[in-house]
Amino acid sequence: MSALPPAAALARAVRLLSAQGFRETARNARGDSVYLRPEGCAYALRVSNHARTPRQRRNHPEAIVSLVIRSTRTEAQVAALAAAAARDFAAARARAEVQDAEASSRK
């Protein structure tokens, strides 16, 4: 199995997540951070080659999960990382939606 350099691994992860119903909603100017979200969802999953900066946290507070790929990965590793990110996103989304509902009921 051939290894993918980080940029190719990131692109592959975006394609895999897109196949699971995520759609690209934002991309930074360098193209190394992509924000994806399911249709009709307020929250996003971030795919990047670096950790979020304070500016990114401020500009994209809807990003509740990040998938970071910094080094060469095999296709199988990328598939496993994308699947784990999708699972983490589903769990984080459920928690966030409960918190939003609780905050709304207190008003």
Side-chain angles (χ1 to χ4, degrees), residues 7-94:
L10 288 169
R12 179 74 178 139
V14 168
R15 285 192 304 275
L16 289 168
L17 291 164
S18 293
Q20 294 184 40
F22 287 86
R23 299 290 171 250
E24 183 177 324
T25 58
R27 182 181 288 262
N28 72 352
R30 292 181 310 276
D32 58 3
S33 291
V34 180
Y35 294 84
L36 307 162
R37 67 175 70 201
E39 186 70 34
C41 182
Y43 304 104
L45 187 156
R46 177 178 171 271
V47 179
S48 186
N49 66 356
H50 61 280
R52 291 174 74 192
T53 65
R55 181 178 180 184
Q56 288 167 322
R57 290 183 193 280
R58 189 172 51 255
N59 290 341
H60 293 282
E62 76 283 3
I64 56 174
V65 170
S66 288
L67 168 55
V68 177
I69 300 177
R70 293 187 179 114
S71 59
T72 301
R73 301 285 182 192
T74 65
E75 293 244 358
Q77 288 172 323
V78 173
L81 289 169
R87 281 191 309 272
D88 291 348
F89 179 86
R93 178 183 180 181

